[in-house]
């Protein structure tokens, strides 16, 4: 079982207040506030452990604990190896155990995200809102202004597809005659409901590479529940997903969502003391791969058509620091004919999306996003590629509100486009 907040004292005392985290913390750079920095948050948590403050009864402390993006940049930069992101998650679990969760958060986590049918119904309701004229009314009557942060974040919504990825699976899944590999695909909540085009591209790319794909019926990976301190539901979802995936004999479990991949990896520690699920979780963690990571490992077709564009890449935090996946997506992008790859300054700096952070902390999230957009603009790229749907949503919003030409796109979509362009080119030659 993961250590509780009170069992983390030996982890937090390693913080020697050196300030190395100052240069890498997005919330500190955006606010300049000491308690928006890993060092400051660690100080608050340590004083709580020592009984000088009560973490569960001080709303001002909670504000600083919940303003952390959990991007892990401070952990990577810390010479004392202080695991501030883990400590913050433990502190949030402590707060949740003592006080429960605000009703809207509890409804979102338990009532919607933990129930895929309700989530899909919610997505369809959002599509109706976008297509029926209700969105126009909400935007032009001032209604959104009454909804606080939620109203401000309304512009983040991508165009909701008519069908979910799971709705399309019967048409998409095609078993190769002699597959060279077999994998299970984890269809995350956002990919399934909001970015089904990304999932479709991933499935086509894998099948193009003669890889058989099965798609188990899964639930939310649980990473939002972990981030909000709902350990009980995190464990429940982990067990449900382990039951679903353990039924399949596959070489790997792949996903095109960096956060989902990181979440699936977390089961190994979460359930390490469970005699039944612990071994299953360890086995799953060994098989989980980012979609580009697995393709590079097993090899992929380099016969493609050209995609004539300048492309740069944004590293999702859960990919670059969670999974240690950095070079693989770049390798794929650089291998596409016609692509001019330009490295972006601070490519691994958090975009401010951080799951639902851009909804709960919209104004701060926009400040963090502005830095990313300034760096993107300097590249002159037409495509801002990434490997996480939450980042995709945030980056697309950034391009929109900053009026920048360019398109946020998933790496698998560009690779899929290159394969399709090859087919078009060959047909043109044959004609």
């Amino acid at each position: 079982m993961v250590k509780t907040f009170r069992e983390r004292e030996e982890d937090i005392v390693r913080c020697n207040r050196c300030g190395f985290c100052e240069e890498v913390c997005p919330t500190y750079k955006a606010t300049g506030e000491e308690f928006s920095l890993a060092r400051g948050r660690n100080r608050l948590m340590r004083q709580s452990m020592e009984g000088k403050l009560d973490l569960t009864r001080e709303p001002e402390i909670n504000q600083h604990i919940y303003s952390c993006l959990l991007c892990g940049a401070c952990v990577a930069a810390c010479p004392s190896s202080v695991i501030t992101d883990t400590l913050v998650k433990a502190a949030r679990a402590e707060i949740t155990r003592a006080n429960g969760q605000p009703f809207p958060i509890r409804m979102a986590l338990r009532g919607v995200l933990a129930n895929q049918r309700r989530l899909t119904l919610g997505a369809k309701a959002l599509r109706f809102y976008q297509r029926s004229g209700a969105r126009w009314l909400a935007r032009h009557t001032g209604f959104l202004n009454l909804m606080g942060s939620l109203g401000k974040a309304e512009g983040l919504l991508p165009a909701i597809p008519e069908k979910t990825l799971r709705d399309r699976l019967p048409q998409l899944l095609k078993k190769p005659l002699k597959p060279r590999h077999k994998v299970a695909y984890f269809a995350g909540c956002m990919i399934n409901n909001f970015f089904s085009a990304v999932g479709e591209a991933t499935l086509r790319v894998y099948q193009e590479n003669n890889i058989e794909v099965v798609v188990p019926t899964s639930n939310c990976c649980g990473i939002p529940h972990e981030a909000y301190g709902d350990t009980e539901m995190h464990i429940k979802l982990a067990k449900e997903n382990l039951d679903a995936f353990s039924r399949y004999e596959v070489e790997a479990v792949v996903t095109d969502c960096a956060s989902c991949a990181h979440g699936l990896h977390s089961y190994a520690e979460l359930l390490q003391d469970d005699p039944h699920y612990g071994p299953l979780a360890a086995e799953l963690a060994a098989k989980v791969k980012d979609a580009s990571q697995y393709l590079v490992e097993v090899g992929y077709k380099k016969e493609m058509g050209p995609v004539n564009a300048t492309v740069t890449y944004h590293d999702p935090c859960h990919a670059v620091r969670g999974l240690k996946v950095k070079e693989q997506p770049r390798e794929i992008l650089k291998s596409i004919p016609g692509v001019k790859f330009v490295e972006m300054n601070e490519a691994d700096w958090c975009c401010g999306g951080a799951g639902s952070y851009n909804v709960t902390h919209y104004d701060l999230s926009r400040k963090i996003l502005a830095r990313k957009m300034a760096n993107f603009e300097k590249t002159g790229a037409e495509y801002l590629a990434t490997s996480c749907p939450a980042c995709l949503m945030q980056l697309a919003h950034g391009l929109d509100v900053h009026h920048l030409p360019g398109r946020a796109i998933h790496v698998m979509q560009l690779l899929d486009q290159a394969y399709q362009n090859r087919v078009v080119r060959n047909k043109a030659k044959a004609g």
Side-chain angles (χ1 to χ4, degrees):
M1 180 64 73
V2 176
K3 288 181 182 177
T4 67
F5 178 66
R6 298 293 163 187
E7 295 169 337
R8 291 284 185 186
E9 188 169 3
E10 64 180 30
D11 295 316
I12 207 165
V13 295
R14 291 205 300 272
C15 178
N16 59 19
R17 307 180 185 88
C18 66
F20 271 74
C21 46
E22 283 186 10
E23 289 305 310
V24 299
C25 178
T27 54
Y28 176 73
K29 287 296 183 183
T31 66
E33 295 175 354
E34 173 68 13
F35 292 126
S36 293
L37 174 66
R39 179 179 59 193
R41 292 186 178 107
N42 285 331
R43 180 181 168 194
L44 292 174
M45 291 188 286
R46 182 170 181 171
Q47 289 184 332
S48 179
M49 287 180 181
E50 294 170 349
K52 296 174 183 174
L53 296 172
D54 189 340
L55 194 69
T56 65
R57 294 178 180 274
E58 300 286 347
E60 290 185 5
I61 298 177
N62 289 3
Q63 174 190 334
H64 297 300
I65 298 300
Y66 278 92
S67 70
C68 176
L69 292 153
L70 300 176
C71 70
C74 57
V75 179
C78 182
S80 303
S81 303
V82 178
I83 47 175
T84 301
D85 57 346
T86 302
L87 292 165
V88 167
K89 285 186 280 190
R92 291 180 184 178
E94 177 84 357
I95 294 166
T96 297
R97 270 193 294 272
N99 303 329
Q101 288 175 320
F103 179 73
I105 298 293
R106 185 177 175 82
M107 274 300 296
L109 292 177
R110 295 200 165 204
V112 181
L113 276 175
N115 185 312
Q116 292 300 296
R117 188 177 65 84
R118 290 180 192 160
L119 179 59
T120 297
L121 285 174
K124 291 186 184 300
L126 288 173
R127 177 177 166 79
F128 176 79
Y129 164 76
Q130 290 179 335
R131 297 297 185 95
S132 66
R135 185 179 211 175
W136 185 93
L137 277 175
R139 287 182 170 182
H140 290 82
T141 59
F143 176 73
L144 292 178
N145 297 333
L146 303 175
M147 298 180 68
S149 185
L150 192 61
K152 291 180 181 178
E154 187 266 353
L156 283 159
L157 277 176
I160 310 297
E162 182 178 358
K163 293 185 177 181
T164 67
L165 179 65
R166 289 195 177 279
D167 289 337
R168 297 260 298 124
L169 286 180
Q171 292 78 45
L172 292 167
L173 289 181
K174 299 169 184 172
K175 183 177 178 179
L177 287 177
K178 293 182 179 179
R180 61 188 181 110
H181 300 285
K182 181 177 181 180
V183 302
Y185 171 76
F186 184 86
C189 302
M190 291 189 71
I191 290 289
N192 183 43
N193 292 287
F194 296 165
F195 292 100
S196 59
V198 174
E200 291 178 19
T202 302
L203 294 177
R204 280 194 297 268
V205 163
Y206 269 66
Q207 291 170 160
E208 171 71 23
N209 281 282
N210 204 22
I211 299 171
E212 182 183 355
V213 184
V214 295
V215 186
T217 301
S218 54
N219 210 331
C220 174
C221 67
I223 205 166
H225 305 80
E226 180 192 31
Y228 282 99
D230 192 345
T231 307
E232 180 185 355
M233 186 54 72
H234 187 198
I235 291 173
K236 181 175 182 295
L237 292 169
K239 290 181 176 179
E240 289 178 7
N241 286 325
L242 287 168
D243 284 337
F245 279 79
S246 62
R247 298 189 186 107
Y248 294 85
E249 288 288 335
V250 292
E251 296 173 27
V253 174
V254 300
T255 176
D256 40 21
C257 172
S259 293
C260 290
H262 185 67
L264 297 175
H265 267 284
S266 75
Y267 297 171
E269 182 181 3
L270 181 71
L271 297 168
Q272 60 184 322
D273 296 330
D274 188 301
H276 174 64
Y277 287 101
L280 293 179
E283 184 179 350
L284 178 73
K287 289 184 176 179
V288 171
K289 306 280 184 181
D290 171 78
S292 61
Q293 178 187 19
Y294 183 73
L295 277 184
V296 169
E297 283 182 6
V298 300
Y300 61 99
K301 286 184 182 177
K302 303 295 174 55
E303 299 81 21
M304 311 171 200
V307 178
N308 297 313
T310 304
V311 180
T312 191
Y313 182 75
H314 160 74
D315 289 290
C317 300
H318 283 139
V320 69
R321 286 181 285 275
L323 306 174
K324 313 299 182 192
V325 170
K326 183 179 177 69
E327 296 304 323
Q328 296 92 332
R330 288 171 170 80
E331 182 176 333
I332 288 176
L333 292 172
K334 291 174 183 176
S335 70
I336 297 174
V339 163
K340 178 186 176 186
F341 183 81
V342 180
E343 192 64 62
M344 178 169 57
N345 189 35
E346 297 179 335
D348 62 354
W349 191 269
C350 180
C351 64
S356 61
Y357 190 93
N358 47 9
V359 176
T360 58
H361 296 76
Y362 181 77
D363 292 333
L364 181 52
S365 171
R366 277 284 300 272
K367 289 181 182 177
I368 297 166
L369 177 60
R371 184 167 177 142
K372 178 65 65 179
M373 290 297 106
N375 282 324
F376 171 70
E377 187 174 18
K378 290 174 186 172
T379 66
E382 294 147 278
Y383 285 118
L384 176 48
T386 190
S387 303
C388 178
C391 297
L392 205 55
M393 181 185 291
Q394 176 80 342
L395 296 173
H397 185 56
L399 294 173
D400 183 29
V401 297
H402 286 267
H403 308 292
L404 293 175
R407 178 187 170 193
I409 194 167
H410 195 284
V411 171
M412 288 298 112
Q413 288 178 291
L414 275 175
L415 184 55
D416 179 48
Q417 187 177 328
Y419 285 139
Q420 294 190 41
N421 288 351
R422 182 203 65 210
V423 175
V424 171
R425 184 188 60 187
N426 290 346
K427 283 183 178 177
K429 284 182 179 178

